[in-house]
Amino acid sequence: MYEQIALITAQTLLLCAFIFGAQLYIAKILLKNVNARITQLDSNLAEALNNVIEGKLAQGFDAPNPLVSIFADIMKNNLNKEEIARSGDGKFKVIENLK
């Protein structure tokens, strides 16, 4: 009877050791794969950043759109104008009487 208990215990320990070893091996493979992908991503990102920096600095920045410049000038001029006064009922006051 003690022999059977010892045999079952030994089998259980061997099975647990095998499962633990298999999990370690799988984790090692997964970590190698993740490390390779991170290295690949890092090199791709460095290359992309290098291309963007070299491309933008070598070519210069894009010229501003002329319409945007016109609208910006109009908005600047409108900010400097005095606000037209309103009466108590919300209507605009007459500044000058034109005849």
Side-chain angles (χ1 to χ4, degrees):
M1 175 160 161
Y2 291 116
E3 293 172 356
Q4 289 178 344
I5 293 174
L7 185 62
I8 292 173
T9 304
Q11 288 175 344
T12 305
L13 288 175
L14 285 174
L15 183 62
C16 288
F18 176 75
I19 291 172
F20 181 72
Q23 287 177 346
L24 285 178
Y25 183 72
I26 291 171
K28 182 179 175 182
I29 291 172
L30 289 175
L31 287 175
K32 279 185 181 180
N33 191 8
V34 168
N35 189 23
R37 287 179 184 252
I38 288 174
T39 304
Q40 177 78 23
L41 180 64
D42 185 42
S43 63
N44 288 347
L45 183 60
E47 183 180 344
L49 285 173
N50 204 9
N51 289 340
V52 167
I53 290 171
E54 287 178 0
K56 287 290 182 183
L57 293 179
Q59 296 173 359
F61 294 101
D62 296 336
N65 189 339
L67 291 176
V68 172
S69 299
I70 293 170
F71 288 131
D73 289 339
I74 291 171
M75 290 174 67
K76 280 187 219 174
N77 293 337
N78 286 338
L79 289 175
N80 295 333
K81 290 184 180 178
E82 293 181 22
E83 187 175 326
I84 300 173
R86 295 182 185 223
S87 63
D89 59 353
K91 295 181 180 178
F92 291 109
K93 290 182 180 179
V94 178
I95 297 174
E96 294 179 11
N97 288 332
L98 299 176
K99 293 183 181 181

